[in-house]
Amino acid sequence: MNYTASHAYEQLEFDFSASSYLLIPSALPGFHNTDTKRYNSISGAVIYLMRGSQDILPEDAVCASCGAAMHVHSNREIFLSHLRFGKALTQISVTRKRFFCPSCGASHMQHIPYCSDHHRITKELEAYVCDLLALGTYTNKQVAELCGLHQHTVKAIDKRRLESLYVKDEKLVKPKHYARFLGIDEFKLHDGHQYATHIIDMATGHVLWIAQGKKKKVVYDFIEHVGMDWMRHVDAVALDMNSDFEEAFLEKCPHIWPVFDYFHLVKNFNDKVVSEVRKDEFKRLMEEGKEEEAHMLKRSRYILTANRETLARKDAESAAGKVLHRESRLFATPEKRRTGRYLSRYEELIAKNRLFLTADLVKEALREAYTCRNESDMIACLNTVLDLCRETKNRRFLWFYRLIQTHFDGIVAHGKFHIANGRMEGLNQKIKTMRRHAYGIADDEYLFLKIMDLSRAPYVRNPKSHKVLH
C-alpha cells in the first residue's frame, strides 16, 4: 500500500499499481473509509484522520418498543482514537445517526460495534492499552504518550482491568486455593504515619488481602473475608515484631503459630544493640581522653554489623583488584577499586573491646540457631544468646535479652516451620519501585489493586478475546 501527500491537510492519494502491498484488517466491522487526511496536532504529532460511514445494523432500523421502521432523525460526526500507525496516531471519524420511531416516539443512537463502552476510543486500542499496562513495564504516563491518550483515560482503563481480575460484587475475590503459610507486613502509605498492611500466600507470593492501617482490625477483616474454614488450613504466619498482628491471629485462630524470621531479629540487634554500643563506646573513650582508640570506631558501623563471610569476600575482591566504577574520560571520573582490610579491621575492633566480641558471639549463635532443623536445637542456641546478653550487664544487650524472651515461642517456631519473611520484604521493595516509577499514586484503591496485580504471576493474554488473563 503506497500513499503520498503533497500538503498536510490534503487527502491522501492511494496507489495500488505497485507489484505488491499489504492488506491489514482494520478491526472496524461495518466501517467504510471514504477519505483519509494527514495533519499535525498541537503537540506536533502526526495524525491520520480516516473519515467514513458505518453500516446500519438490522436492530437499529427497527423500533425495539413497537417494531415499526425507524427513521433517521439526525446525524452527528464522532471521532474515535485508534491504533498507532508507526510513529503516527490515527483517528476514526464516522457519521453516527440518530433514529426516531414515528409510531411511538422512541429514539436511539446508532450502535458502533468497535467503539469502547467507556471512552471515545476503539475496542482494539483499549485492548492494546490493557496489554501494555499488564506488562508492568510502562507507567500510565508512558502508555498515554504511546497511544495518544490522556493519563486519566489510561488510569480508568487500568482500574477496570484490575477490578475485573480481583473484585467481585464490590469485594475482593476470595483465594481460590488454601494456603499453609501466610506472611503479613505493613508499608508506608502516606506521610504523617499513615500505613497499609498486606497479607500474602508465602508459597506463591500473591497478595490475598490489603487494607489501610496496621492494627488488629486488618487481621480481623481478613479472617472474616476468607472464613474460618479457610483459616483452618493455615499452620503458621511469618511476621515482624509487631505484637498487634501476633495477638490478632492468636485471638481468632489459636492453632496458628507466629514465626519471627532471622532478618528482623538481626536487624533489631544491629540497629538497637551494635550501633548503640558503638556510639556509647565512642562517647566513653572521648571522655576518658582516648581519642586514638575512639577514632578507630569512626566509619566502623558497617564492619561491625556485617557478617564475617561478607567481609572476607570483599577482602578477596580487593586482592583481585575488582573495579567498582570504570574510568570515564568524558566526565572526568576516576577509576574506583574495591578497598581492603575489612576482616582485619573487624578482628582488631573485637579484640580491643569486650562488648564487640560479645556481639560477634551473639550474631554467630543467632545464625546457628536459624540453621537448626528442630526446635530443641534452636532452643539450646537461643539459651546461649540469652546467657551472653545477660552476662554483659549492658543495657543495650539486656534490651535484646528481653526482646528474645518476649518473642521466644515465635522465634523457636522457625525450627518447626522454616519460613521467613523474604517474599514480603521483596514485595515491599517492588511496591517502592512501582510508586517511584509512577511519581506516586494518589488513589489508594487503585494502588492496592496495582499491588495485588504486581504480586501475581506473569501476564498472559488470550489472542481470541480482549480479556486479560493471569
Side-chain angles (χ1 to χ4, degrees):
M1 181 172 64
N2 299 322
Y3 56 87
T4 59
S6 57
H7 301 288
Y9 293 93
E10 183 178 348
Q11 181 177 345
L12 296 176
E13 300 175 359
F14 293 90
D15 179 16
F16 295 104
S17 61
S19 60
S20 62
Y21 54 87
L22 295 176
L23 292 176
I24 303 174
S26 66
L28 306 172
F31 176 74
H32 301 281
N33 186 204
T34 56
D35 66 90
T36 301
K37 292 185 177 180
R38 170 179 172 172
Y39 67 95
N40 294 327
S41 67
I42 297 176
S43 63
V46 176
I47 300 179
Y48 290 122
L49 177 61
M50 294 172 282
R51 284 191 168 91
S53 61
Q54 181 65 34
D55 290 342
I56 299 176
L57 300 177
E59 53 267 28
D60 286 334
V62 179
C63 180
S65 300
C66 65
M70 302 288 284
H71 292 183
V72 177
H73 181 265
S74 61
N75 297 297
R76 180 185 178 187
E77 186 179 22
I78 64 170
F79 297 86
L80 305 176
S81 297
H82 193 40
L83 296 171
R84 290 186 75 118
F85 187 79
K87 293 183 179 180
L89 302 174
T90 60
Q91 279 188 336
I92 306 298
S93 172
V94 60
T95 302
R96 192 176 191 183
K97 299 176 175 61
R98 174 176 286 278
F99 295 94
F100 174 77
C101 178
S103 299
C104 64
S107 66
H108 68 267
M109 293 297 295
Q110 180 182 8
H111 176 64
I112 308 296
Y114 46 83
C115 179
S116 169
D117 297 331
H118 307 91
H119 309 283
R120 287 297 176 91
I121 64 176
T122 62
K123 290 183 178 179
E124 278 295 310
L125 178 58
E126 188 174 23
Y128 179 59
V129 170
C130 285
D131 290 347
L132 291 178
L133 291 167
L135 289 174
T137 305
Y138 304 100
T139 64
N140 290 4
K141 182 179 180 181
Q142 291 170 334
V143 173
E145 292 175 351
L146 286 171
C147 300
L149 301 175
H150 195 276
Q151 290 187 55
H152 292 173
T153 303
V154 174
K155 178 199 168 183
I157 293 173
D158 194 25
K159 194 170 184 178
R160 283 194 304 273
R161 176 185 73 87
L162 296 171
E163 287 174 345
S164 67
L165 292 171
Y166 308 114
V167 179
K168 185 177 181 181
D169 299 330
E170 298 184 355
K171 294 182 179 179
L172 289 179
V173 294
K174 294 185 178 181
K176 295 181 179 180
H177 307 287
Y178 295 117
R180 187 186 176 196
F181 301 125
L182 298 177
I184 183 171
D185 198 8
E186 72 275 0
F187 64 93
K188 183 180 177 181
L189 187 60
H190 301 295
D191 291 337
H193 300 286
Q194 298 184 48
Y195 294 88
T197 301
H198 49 316
I199 300 174
I200 70 169
D201 180 352
M202 295 295 289
T204 61
H206 295 180
V207 174
L208 307 178
W209 184 257
I210 185 168
Q212 291 184 349
K214 57 174 184 176
K215 299 299 182 181
K216 293 182 179 181
K217 188 178 183 301
V218 177
V219 178
Y220 296 155
D221 292 343
F222 168 70
I223 295 175
E224 181 180 354
H225 171 68
V226 298
M228 290 303 299
D229 179 66
W230 192 92
M231 292 299 298
R232 290 189 187 96
H233 295 80
V234 180
D235 291 336
V237 55
L239 67 166
D240 56 15
M241 303 298 177
N242 189 320
S243 58
D244 286 339
F245 295 155
E246 178 187 6
E247 293 172 2
F249 275 108
L250 292 179
E251 286 174 11
K252 295 290 185 179
C253 306
H255 69 281
I256 294 180
W257 283 78
V259 180
F260 303 115
D261 68 340
Y262 177 73
F263 169 79
H264 288 98
L265 197 62
V266 173
K267 186 176 186 303
N268 272 289
F269 183 73
N270 284 334
D271 293 345
K272 302 295 180 62
V273 180
V274 178
S275 298
E276 296 302 320
V277 167
R278 171 178 164 272
K279 294 177 184 177
D280 294 342
E281 289 299 292
F282 179 83
K283 187 182 296 184
R284 179 184 64 82
L285 292 172
M286 289 297 292
E287 291 175 352
E288 295 177 358
K290 300 178 181 178
E291 296 183 3
E292 185 176 347
E293 294 184 25
H295 182 74
M296 292 180 58
L297 296 179
K298 288 187 175 181
R299 299 182 180 180
S300 62
R301 184 183 184 278
Y302 174 78
I303 294 177
L304 290 171
T305 55
N307 58 55
R308 288 175 175 269
E309 286 74 11
T310 302
L311 300 179
R313 175 176 56 81
K314 291 194 172 184
D315 282 342
E317 292 174 353
S318 174
K322 181 177 179 179
V323 177
L324 300 178
H325 300 290
R326 296 186 180 277
E327 179 185 5
S328 173
R329 296 182 180 179
L330 179 62
F331 297 102
T333 304
E335 183 182 76
K336 184 177 180 181
R337 294 178 178 270
R338 172 75 74 192
T339 58
R341 290 195 69 252
Y342 284 94
L343 191 58
S344 60
R345 189 179 174 194
Y346 179 70
E347 295 287 356
E348 186 178 355
L349 287 171
I350 64 175
K352 292 186 175 182
N353 193 297
R354 181 180 59 86
L355 292 177
F356 292 154
L357 176 60
T358 304
D360 179 73
L361 297 175
V362 169
K363 287 193 294 182
E364 289 298 323
L366 284 175
R367 186 176 181 181
E368 184 180 353
Y370 274 87
T371 60
C372 296
R373 308 307 296 176
N374 58 74
E375 294 174 90
S376 58
D377 292 343
M378 194 166 186
I379 290 174
C381 293
L382 288 178
N383 286 332
T384 301
V385 173
L386 292 174
D387 292 340
L388 289 169
C389 292
R390 186 177 60 250
E391 289 173 0
T392 62
K393 298 181 181 180
N394 179 275
R395 63 189 181 102
R396 309 295 185 185
F397 283 90
L398 292 177
W399 174 88
F400 192 68
Y401 172 86
R402 292 189 296 271
L403 179 70
I404 293 181
Q405 279 195 323
T406 307
H407 301 84
F408 195 84
D409 292 339
I411 298 173
V412 172
H414 184 274
K416 180 179 181 181
F417 298 107
H418 313 294
I419 60 174
N421 233 10
R423 278 186 179 270
M424 183 66 74
E425 297 301 327
L427 178 61
N428 288 343
Q429 293 301 318
K430 286 184 178 181
I431 293 172
K432 289 180 182 179
T433 302
M434 179 186 70
R435 297 177 74 179
R436 289 169 181 166
H437 198 196
Y439 293 96
I441 300 176
D443 187 346
D444 290 344
E445 183 176 298
Y446 178 52
L447 172 64
F448 292 167
L449 290 171
K450 292 285 283 184
I451 292 172
M452 294 189 70
D453 194 56
L454 184 68
S455 68
R456 257 55 183 183
Y459 164 78
V460 177
R461 182 174 184 266
N462 185 351
K464 297 183 179 179
S465 69
H466 297 313
K467 293 181 179 180
V468 178
L469 306 176
H470 279 268

